[in-house]
Amino acid sequence: MARNLAVAAAKKAGNGKISPKHNIEAMRNAFYERIAKKDMAPLWKVMKSVVTKEPVTRCQPHVWHYDDVKALVMESGGLITAEEAERRVLILENPSLHGESRVTNTLFAGIQMILPGEVAPAHRHAASAIRFVLDGEGAYTAVEGEKAFMAPGDFVITANWAPHDHGNPSNKPMLWLDVLDLPTVNFYEASFAEHFDDAMQATTRQDGDSLSFYGSGVLPDGTPAMNRTPVINYTYARTRPIVERMMQTGDIDKRHGARVRYANPVNGGPVLPTMSACLAMLPKGFVGEPYRSTDGIIFVCAEGEGSTEVDGKVLEWGPNDVFVVPPWKRYAHHAAKQSVLFSISDRPAQEALGLWREGN
Ligand code: 1HN
């Protein structure tokens, strides 16, 4: 076939000579150079790398230990104020993706601190955010006119384009994990952001309104359909007893432990169209069966101690350690003590696109 092409090409060139067999590579390369000048390229050269048989990830499994993280975040508090930084966050960068501000290909993760008396000024952006509280008590995030006071283990939602500011009237620093779908928004090149003149938004709703109106098994009559949850804070005080009860009654998944999924009470769907989260309790001595799925997952150890083997690498974790499992990497949890794991991933975005798969 290659020979025939060379013969045909030589004839077409009108020089009457038949090109030697090895010339086809040179002819192809010359052709590729010519088409590159016209902003074209041959698919057959890249077919195997653009259509892979199985997911290929650029991410590594990795764990950030809270001892290190907390010390460095506290140190950042002496270098810049929350107001000057706008958000005083140390980014958790996947070791394979340094400089890209991402923990997986689709998600941003960082640790934010707000010191007593500080305010992180009001803004809004196209990216959706969640927070998982690690340390401190009595700081708040104000979202769409409602202040949500936070405590460790609380899971807080700031939906796409919702105005939000944070404040800390308590006398202790507060630290939390931020996860945003920022790399996804930027993949679509659809980022917008806006700042407000006032650092703190006016409070237009009572503290706790969103949880009591939407998170209590009732809904204000006429609540419209929405693809993101109206609940701002899914408190640990309410969620932890549920996974504990599941565990005690033996409702323990062989891979995930006694696990609940945080739900949008309006439609039962994920809390956000791009990200969904779970809380799981693992009994002491739990040895999970291996599992894999196409979503990249960020875990936080809320309580306990254990390890997760990911693709042959053992990630040891204790309280407030954050670890990441890349897409389609097989993982299995092991709990040395009774443990609670929070997790968040890009699963709903993949499901909406018909991409999500799981396996063992
Ligand atoms: C942001 O707005 C917050 O509002 C936290 O607390 C982390 C990371 C990147 C871009 C914006 C916040 C962020 C962020």
Side-chain angles (χ1 to χ4, degrees):
M1 185 66 192
R3 179 105 204 270
N4 291 344
L5 281 175
V7 170
K11 282 188 180 153
K12 198 172 174 208
N15 59 14
K17 285 184 197 156
I18 295 171
S19 307
K21 214 180 193 174
H22 63 264
N23 241 6
I24 188 66
E25 272 312 309
M27 291 171 67
R28 285 176 182 171
N29 288 335
F31 175 72
Y32 303 153
E33 276 175 32
R34 275 175 43 229
I35 67 171
K37 292 194 181 107
K38 300 287 180 190
D39 304 300
M40 289 188 267
L43 172 61
W44 59 89
K45 295 277 285 179
V46 295
M47 192 74 176
K48 283 200 172 66
S49 58
V50 295
V51 185
T52 62
K53 284 194 171 159
E54 294 216 347
V56 172
T57 179
R58 299 194 299 140
C59 310
Q60 283 178 48
H62 190 71
V63 58
W64 287 264
H65 292 291
Y66 192 60
D67 285 352
D68 300 333
V69 166
K70 184 171 182 178
L72 295 168
V73 170
M74 294 299 293
E75 198 178 329
S76 75
L79 297 173
I80 192 161
T81 63
E83 187 119 34
E84 193 189 349
E86 186 168 339
R87 296 295 186 265
R88 192 202 291 108
V89 175
L90 294 188
I91 305 171
L92 303 181
E93 289 201 311
N94 192 286
S96 315
L97 307 174
H98 279 175
E100 295 192 34
S101 304
R102 62 182 95 190
V103 69
T104 66
N105 214 36
T106 60
L107 299 178
F108 168 101
I111 306 291
Q112 180 160 180
M113 178 174 66
I114 181 143
L115 291 168
E118 283 190 325
V119 168
H123 70 189
R124 64 176 163 180
H125 36 69
S128 298
I130 66 89
R131 333 212 174 267
F132 188 76
V133 180
L134 304 175
D135 239 322
E137 183 141 19
Y140 66 83
T141 182
V143 182
E144 292 176 315
E146 180 177 338
K147 270 189 181 145
F149 285 89
M150 300 180 282
D154 287 1
F155 169 56
V156 178
I157 312 287
T158 308
N160 162 292
W161 210 238
H164 55 286
D165 53 84
H166 316 300
N168 187 355
S170 85
N171 56 11
K172 287 182 285 194
M174 182 176 264
L175 284 84
W176 64 70
L177 171 76
D178 284 310
V179 178
L180 289 91
D181 55 11
L182 209 54
T184 305
V185 172
N186 288 335
F187 172 76
Y188 289 110
E189 301 182 331
S191 170
F192 290 93
E194 206 168 79
H195 298 86
F196 297 97
D197 293 337
D198 295 328
M200 292 159 75
Q201 60 188 294
T203 303
T204 52
R205 301 169 72 189
Q206 270 187 55
D207 299 351
D209 264 7
S210 82
L211 193 58
S212 54
F213 291 172
Y214 301 102
S216 306
V218 295
L219 294 173
D221 208 9
T223 299
M226 49 179 97
N227 69 352
R228 53 89 164 187
T229 180
V231 177
I232 298 172
N233 188 354
Y234 292 80
T235 63
Y236 200 56
R238 286 170 59 123
T239 315
R240 189 192 185 282
I242 301 168
V243 289
E244 187 171 28
R245 215 179 233 243
M246 284 174 71
M247 196 186 74
Q248 281 162 358
T249 55
D251 190 359
I252 304 172
D253 183 275
K254 289 188 167 70
R255 293 91 35 99
H256 308 300
R259 189 168 84 157
V260 291
R261 180 175 64 80
Y262 293 93
N264 172 354
V266 179
N267 63 6
V271 290
L272 291 163
T274 49
M275 297 188 279
S276 66
C278 292
L279 193 76
M281 187 173 273
L282 314 179
K284 179 177 159 69
F286 180 78
V287 179
E289 287 184 2
Y291 175 79
R292 58 181 170 166
S293 54
T294 54
D295 48 328
I297 311 168
I298 301 155
F299 286 93
V300 185
C301 168
E303 293 176 33
E305 195 182 297
S307 62
T308 299
E309 184 172 340
V310 191
D311 200 26
K313 187 170 170 183
V314 178
L315 307 176
E316 308 268 357
W317 41 259
N320 286 348
D321 291 351
V322 177
F323 61 99
V324 61
V325 175
W328 209 236
K329 294 297 182 198
R330 200 172 268 117
Y331 67 94
H333 299 307
H334 172 228
K337 295 182 184 166
Q338 174 179 296
S339 300
V340 178
L341 290 179
F342 168 81
S343 61
I344 173 132
S345 87
D346 59 358
R347 177 172 166 172
Q350 292 196 19
E351 284 177 325
L353 300 173
L355 299 174
W356 188 77
R357 284 205 206 186
E358 62 181 338
N360 50 27

